[in-house]
């Protein structure tokens, strides 16, 4: 028996660890460092209908125990991803979760329709929470009604289960979670980045050319854990948790709060081997916690 | 191959105001393929500062598995780095990126190396490798002020060396371009590393020369995955954009939109 | 001329640095370490109508570059504050900003009416954003209409200018800011803490007995700066900024984003002398930035 | 007076599994008034870990301006502290709180000191001061297991010393209370520091004895301002609540609601 295996809609995960979207490109770079088949899944960079260059640089800034980014969804567009990126990833025994972004509902629907037909795409992740694009993105993630409609529209065309990625920049995250569940979402991924800003100490100018950026990394983990905890109580679909995961104990925390699997973003930049390292450490951690199968940890904070 | 190496500090020395020279040993050194490559350094195991710092490789000693880095301790991260003592270990990712093409210069040719501030370090290993193969190197190094000048002697041992300081406290008053006006234009190519404005000025000065420029950009991953360090390219380039970390940091003049 | 003096409704600040509410008690403890007259002002701990014991312990937990707290507004109640705390503070040449909290509008009104008559209370800070009490607190801070009404009600009885303290746990902070401005607020203080959670790695149990707590410290600074920046553009009343201020450069950042003064919270625990240290460092910092008077920095990020 | 002192590490030594003994010098030592007081340590200049760590003062040498602390390096902060070497400096706030009342015990009396795990350290200075004034101290020290036992010899030099280990790898099998059963109850008062459950058991065992208990609670400020470390009191107490950091950490038995 595989003590780390987790089954989720569309996803047979050999372990619950996957790189988060935007922090792993389309896998090529990290694939040079280790065998990607080791991963539970891969969340690839956001794909939009057209090629996007993204925002001007600087696009990243460091903050205390975190970072801001405003990449602006740079990606080679649907065709580029379908023709160059996904086929390359087929060589690995790893399910792909395709992060789908857009400006209009039609963009999402169009991308979802096509990308969900790729043989190795086992699930979609609707990015309704990107704070770094002028139109679309986060606006879909802050209004429950709009979030629900978008989810339904994408569900109607997708060949694979649809996960919706929630924004933490809301007054009531459970409201949005319930809305996307009502819209037919098969799962939830959370959290995307918190909107933040860093100013240059000398000039007062925002360090990030875009002005604001999305805050990620260990700094946001307490907010992410709180939101996963709240959403777990509010919905009946599984959650893939993220936000500051850097060490094996962080994974335990997210599972305890209610996540069924965990994504690792920023930590890949700090330690490019973080995902395989955590995966290797998990069995010993389960022993330490006296747990036989990792699924026993899911939501344990709620059962105390 | 890129390694994540727990390198051992052999020495740490302040060589000018806020400027430190650190020698590190480890297996990573064996993977370095060209001068101008860089390493990505995690300065502490703490989550603050969080991100790695990109620092150029300034000198390599393959026999000793040793490399030298030279850096300015100014911000939070480099200050922490400057507190390391010999015997401490540092988490280093590298070698990263594509360095200067030493092969492009032929023995007997003369080339010009133009460096500014903390862009000077990678030119040192470059010059060592070029002069070793019989290329004559002229070094033009610009600094803000006298107190931050470093490695002048080391460069002089390799070839003609001119210093410029913005506040005219040392060498030529002004910028590297002020020195370049006086350098015999009869050289085959140039190599440059330094602030964007300097790279711009140098490229503009020699529109018809072959040249290689090393760029800086804020980085996340350092290996090409996060799209933090992207630069727009000129029309003449075959790519729409380049990543400084993995496509660069060194590019032929004319590729990156300045 | 005092290069650091700032004038705000009700407040003649000799410098723009003040300890944040809840992080300085009623001054007695820090008053043993340095002369409180050095401070621009003091924001005293939340005062409620009745004595409150607060939440069970543990009440604090460390997080990456931050901390969670769920003190639960422990305080000796209006009478205790009026009789024991405020008179003691009169020996210092420093204006007091009284942080007012409650469960019902009537509580706020009652406390405001009385506490605003204390001779050294020069302004009130309405705490409509405390995440650590079951009723009241944050609920007033997430609904613009309710926030506006509470502000008006308190304004009607207060003898001194009223500042309203905003919660960052909202989708749109400018909406709340505009509402309290419309309700008659003389100024805004921001941000209060972000709701977060930390779990014990061994048991999965929340470390804080209350479950969730309020996140503060350097980790939240990027969110605070972004929100101050947004609110500065949206309202015409002054802002006292806070969230992660630990060093003199943080003060410059908050002023640049649009704050007219700055409060220091968590950093007092890390460095009990942080406020006087920053005050001492400000003049040299102004020289370095080529600024004659500190007020020139206010909002400079918007003028670039 | 409370000082924020940049103290100098004189020595750092591992004395049991995960247990470190550190000697620090600085002016702060001159301000210590009683055993059982503690210091609040910032382990690094970084923002992570952010908060200070409360650690008891285990021994004082006023002549040398030196104090000893003994701590378990388990979490993030104490691990960083354990990497300090002699010559390094540490930001220490203290002395904090009210310690054990040495004056309460008279020469010739016998008292019992009951410590558990990392509650043992403050009892060492307490015992030194008590024995110095002619009080006979019996030490009952409980640990999880043999490998984490420390300072047994030091305590033996001051008086009778009994060790208990939960896993029976050393001394009496079980808890300090198992040892206490065997100790002649003819003592005048007890002093105790350790986990809450132990304090509870000890207090329960001697309902009619004078006793002083030292408490632990999560702290923010450490000086009484933030209300993080508040404990509810019993009905017999004159206060509604106490703060462990500034009213304690030592309280007479019966004050804090257990
Ligand atoms: C390819 C490359 C090679 C470099 N080689 C050298 C070298 O040999 N010697 C040297 O002194 N410096 C070099 N730099 C610049 C060096 O990376 C920055 O000075 C350093 O990262 C600043 O870190 P800090 O902790 O001092 O500053 P902080 O202000 O704490 O840095 C905050 C964040 O901004 C980033 N950052 C700040 N300035 C720069 C910059 N100029 N370029 C890229 N990122 C920056 C940091 O990496 C960090 O993520 C190089 C940069 C690049 C991209
Ligand atoms: C008055 C007092 C005296 C103490 N004396 C000693 C001593 O002499 N030797 C010793 O080894 N330990 C002592 N402790 C316990 C010590 O403070 C904790 O073990 C230590 O803070 C844990 O820090 P960490 O970095 O290892 O753990 P982390 O898990 O990183 O700590 C996270 C946060 O929780 C706090 N925390 C964790 N455990 C405790 C605890 N048991 N009590 C209070 N805060 C805690 C930390 O201070 C920090 O803020 C004392 C505690 C108090 C209150
Ligand atoms: C550089 C960078 C790029 C990102 N790009 C995307 C993206 O394209 N799509 C998306 O849904 N999330 C994106 N994110 C958000 C992450 O997937 C993740 O939700 C967030 O960073 C929190 O996790 P972390 O703290 O582990 O990084 C990006 C994050 C970073 C740091
Ligand atoms: C221990 C603690 C207690 C607090 N108590 C209060 C309070 O009583 N009233 C209030 O308005 N804010 C309270 N706050 C919030 C702070 O005033 C401040 O808004 C917040 O901590 C952000 O600033 P900082 O990052 O500098 O701490 C408290 C914060 C902390 C850490
Ligand atoms: S730094 Fe991540 S792509 Fe270059
Ligand atoms: S730790 Fe702040 S009051 Fe005790």
């Amino acid at each position: 028996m595989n003590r780390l295996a987790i089954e989720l809609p569309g996803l047979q995960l050999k372990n619950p660890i996957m790189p988060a979207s935007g922090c792993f490109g389309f896998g090529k770079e990290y694939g040079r460092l280790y065998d990607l088949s080791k991963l539970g899944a891969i969340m690839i960079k956001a794909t939009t209908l057209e090629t996007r260059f993204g925002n001007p640089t600087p696009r990243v800034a460091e903050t205390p125990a975190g970072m801001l980014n405003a990449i602006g969804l740079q990606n080679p567009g649907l065709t580029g991803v379908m023709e160059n990126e996904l086929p390359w990833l087929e060589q690995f025994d790893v399910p792909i979760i395709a992060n789908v972004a857009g400006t209009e509902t039609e963009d999402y629907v169009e991308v979802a329709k096509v990308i969900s037909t790729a043989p190795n795409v086992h699930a979609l992740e609707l990015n309704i929470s990107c704070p770094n694009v002028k139109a679309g993105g986060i606006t879909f993630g802050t209004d429950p009604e709009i979030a629900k409609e978008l989810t339904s529209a994408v569900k109607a065309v997708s060949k694979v289960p649809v996960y919706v990625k929630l924004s933490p920049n809301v007054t009531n995250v459970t409201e949005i979670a319930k809305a996307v569940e009502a819209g037919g979402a098969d799962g939830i991924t959370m959290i995307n980045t918190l909107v933040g800003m860093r100013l240059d100490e000398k000039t007062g100018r925002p360090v990030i050319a875009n002005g604001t950026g999305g805050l990620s990394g260990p700094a946001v983990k307490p907010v992410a854990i709180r939101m996963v905890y709240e959403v777990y109580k509010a919905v009946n679909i599984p959650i893939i948790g993220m936000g500051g995961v850097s060490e094996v104990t962080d994974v335990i925390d997210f599972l305890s709060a209610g996540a069924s699997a965990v994504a690792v973003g920023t930590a890949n930049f700090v330690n490019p081997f973080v995902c395989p390292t955590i995966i290797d450490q998990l069995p010993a951690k389960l022993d330490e916690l006296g747990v036989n199968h990792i699924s026993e940890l899911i939501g344990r904070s709620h059962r105390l | 191959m890129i390694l994540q190496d727990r390198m051992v500090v052999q020495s740490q020395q302040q060589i000018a105001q806020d400027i430190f020279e650190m020698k590190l040993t480890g297996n990573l050194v064996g993977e370095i393929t060209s001068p101008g490559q860089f390493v990505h350094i995690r300065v502490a195991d703490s989550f603050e500062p969080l991100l790695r710092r990109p620092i150029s490789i300034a000198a390599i000693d393959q026999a000793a598995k040793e490399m030298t880095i030279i850096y300015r301790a100014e911000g939070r991260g480099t200050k922490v780095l400057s507190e390391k003592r010999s015997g401490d270990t540092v988490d280093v990712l590298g070698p990263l990126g594509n360095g200067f093409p030493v092969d492009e210069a032929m023995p007997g040719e003369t080339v010009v190396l133009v460096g500014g501030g903390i862009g000077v370090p990678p030119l040192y290993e470059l010059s060592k490798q070029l002069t070793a193969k019989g290329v004559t190197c002229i070094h033009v190094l610009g600094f803000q002020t006298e107190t931050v000048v470093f490695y002048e002697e080391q460069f002089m041992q390799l070839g003609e060396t001119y210093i410029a300081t913005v506040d005219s406290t040392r060498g030529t008053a002004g910028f590297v371009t002020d020195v370049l006006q006086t350098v015999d234009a009869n050289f085959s190519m140039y190599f440059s590393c330094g602030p964007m404005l300097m790279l711009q000025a140098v490229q503009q000065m020699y529109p018809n020369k072959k040249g290689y420029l090393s760029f800086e950009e804020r980085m996340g991953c350092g290996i090409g995955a996060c799209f933090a360090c992207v630069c727009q390219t000129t029309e003449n380039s075959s790519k729409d954009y380049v990543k400084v970390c993995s496509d660069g940091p060194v590019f032929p003049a004319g590729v990156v939109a300045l």
Side-chain angles (χ1 to χ4, degrees), chain A, chain B:
Chain A
M1 189 204 58
N2 178 351
R3 302 171 71 190
L4 304 182
I6 294 278
E7 196 162 327
L8 295 178
L11 300 165
Q12 308 270 355
L13 307 175
K14 48 176 118 46
N15 62 66
I17 308 301
M18 60 191 84
S21 179
C23 302
F24 208 73
F26 296 93
K28 286 214 177 80
E29 295 77 17
Y30 290 94
R32 242 176 278 140
L33 301 184
Y34 60 85
D35 179 4
L36 301 185
S37 300
K38 178 136 201 183
L39 298 167
I42 296 175
M43 292 167 143
I44 55 173
K45 175 121 196 82
T47 300
T48 52
L49 199 50
E50 310 294 340
T51 307
R52 279 182 65 104
F53 176 71
N55 291 323
T57 58
R59 292 175 171 187
V60 294
E62 194 179 51
T63 69
M67 68 177 282
L68 294 169
N69 90 80
I71 306 295
L73 301 183
Q74 175 157 19
N75 80 93
L78 180 60
T79 316
V81 172
M82 289 298 287
E83 287 177 3
N84 305 321
E85 309 296 348
L86 287 170
W88 182 84
L89 280 164
E90 281 180 40
Q91 66 187 290
F92 302 102
D93 172 28
V94 61
I96 305 300
I97 302 174
N99 188 276
V100 174
T103 323
E104 315 277 337
T105 304
E106 293 67 47
D107 303 341
Y108 282 95
V109 167
E110 198 52 46
V111 175
K113 198 191 292 179
V114 177
I115 211 166
S116 66
T117 64
N120 53 346
V121 168
H122 292 213
L124 303 187
E125 181 183 40
L126 283 196
N127 183 353
I128 61 166
S129 46
C130 181
N132 299 324
V133 287
K134 294 270 172 286
I138 205 166
T139 51
F140 285 103
T142 52
D143 182 317
E145 221 20 69
I146 300 180
K148 181 178 159 185
E149 277 164 26
L150 181 70
T151 307
S152 305
V154 170
K155 265 302 279 184
V157 301
S158 175
K159 315 281 177 302
V160 295
V162 175
Y163 292 70
V164 181
K165 185 161 185 179
L166 302 189
S167 169
N169 303 288
V170 294
T171 308
N172 187 346
V173 71
T174 58
E175 196 184 28
I176 315 278
K178 284 191 217 155
V180 303
E181 182 180 37
D186 299 284
I188 282 169
T189 67
M190 62 189 294
I191 58 172
N192 210 317
T193 52
L194 276 162
V195 182
M197 197 168 190
R198 179 176 169 172
L199 302 178
D200 183 271
E201 287 149 11
K202 288 191 190 109
T203 63
R205 213 180 287 273
V207 170
I208 298 228
N210 186 50
T212 59
L215 182 64
S216 63
V220 308
K221 189 185 145 195
V223 175
I225 291 283
R226 184 262 297 181
M227 290 190 166
V228 168
Y229 187 91
E230 286 176 351
V231 168
Y232 179 81
K233 285 194 290 193
V235 301
N236 291 306
I237 48 177
I239 301 166
I240 301 178
M242 70 195 87
V245 174
S246 310
E247 298 173 353
V248 67
T249 50
D250 299 323
V251 174
I252 306 302
D253 290 347
F254 272 92
L255 296 175
S256 301
S260 296
V262 168
V264 183
T266 305
N268 289 291
F269 309 157
V270 178
N271 172 5
F273 295 94
V274 62
C275 288
T277 301
I278 287 178
I279 293 165
D280 287 340
Q281 290 170 341
L282 274 173
K285 200 72 195 170
L286 295 189
D287 292 343
E288 205 181 305
L289 295 169
V291 162
N292 186 26
H293 193 278
I294 196 159
S295 58
E296 297 164 35
L297 294 172
I298 300 169
R300 76 176 164 143
S301 300
H302 301 267
R303 295 190 297 268
L304 293 168
Chain B
M1 206 175 71
I2 298 172
L3 299 185
Q4 183 181 9
D5 197 0
R6 195 94 209 175
M7 298 185 82
V8 181
V9 178
Q10 297 300 328
S11 69
Q12 163 104 279
Q13 211 187 329
Q14 187 168 352
I15 57 174
Q17 191 190 320
D18 295 334
I19 306 284
F20 289 78
E21 176 205 67
M22 188 186 237
K23 292 184 194 285
L24 293 153
T25 49
N27 292 331
L28 185 154
V29 177
E31 306 290 333
I32 301 171
T33 53
S34 64
Q37 285 187 298
F38 67 100
V39 291
H40 216 22
I41 302 184
R42 186 167 179 195
V43 299
D45 293 333
S46 166
F47 289 141
E48 194 276 317
L50 183 71
L51 297 176
R52 290 173 178 272
R53 300 310 197 245
I55 304 286
S56 301
I57 297 162
I60 318 163
D61 178 346
Q62 285 296 1
K65 283 190 171 183
E66 185 178 274
M67 69 174 190
T68 304
I69 58 171
I70 297 169
Y71 63 95
R72 179 162 65 212
E74 204 185 13
R76 283 189 92 80
T78 49
K79 268 197 196 127
V80 173
L81 191 62
S82 72
E83 284 156 17
K84 300 271 176 196
R85 315 185 219 159
S86 71
D88 287 346
T89 61
V90 187
D91 175 351
V92 184
L93 183 71
L96 301 178
N98 301 300
F100 292 105
V102 176
D103 292 350
E104 290 288 316
M106 295 302 143
E109 284 184 10
T110 297
V111 302
V112 175
L113 277 53
V114 189
I118 50 166
V120 169
L123 300 181
Y124 181 59
E125 177 64 28
L126 173 65
S127 179
K128 284 211 306 183
Q129 294 196 15
L130 287 170
T131 50
K133 74 179 254 192
V135 177
T136 302
C137 293
I138 301 175
H139 313 106
V140 181
L141 312 177
F143 298 93
Q144 275 303 317
T145 182
E146 168 171 48
T147 51
V148 297
V149 174
F150 60 88
Y151 263 44
E152 185 178 3
E153 270 182 35
Q154 282 88 333
F155 277 101
M156 274 172 21
Q157 279 170 18
L158 296 169
E160 263 175 69
T161 301
Y162 303 95
I163 305 286
T165 52
V166 178
D167 68 354
S168 73
T169 43
R170 176 79 144 277
T172 303
F175 300 96
V176 288
T177 40
D178 294 310
V179 177
L180 287 171
Q181 309 284 8
T182 69
V183 167
D184 182 357
N186 211 353
F187 57 87
S188 63
M189 63 186 78
Y190 65 88
F191 300 91
S192 188
C193 183
M196 194 58 121
L197 283 174
M198 189 197 91
L199 299 180
Q200 250 165 357
V202 173
Q203 179 173 313
Q204 230 162 39
M205 207 165 162
Y206 303 112
N208 302 318
K209 292 260 189 219
K210 206 180 200 176
Y212 293 91
L213 309 174
S214 182
F215 289 82
E216 276 186 15
E217 194 49 80
R218 304 271 165 151
M219 292 187 178
C221 66
I223 64 170
C226 75
F227 292 85
C229 66
V230 163
C231 285
Q232 221 118 20
T233 47
T234 57
E235 295 96 64
N236 333 349
S237 166
S238 61
K239 295 187 172 185
D240 291 343
Y241 63 87
V242 288
K243 298 177 202 159
V244 169
C245 69
S246 53
D247 298 323
V250 175
F251 297 97
V255 165
V256 174
L258 287 173

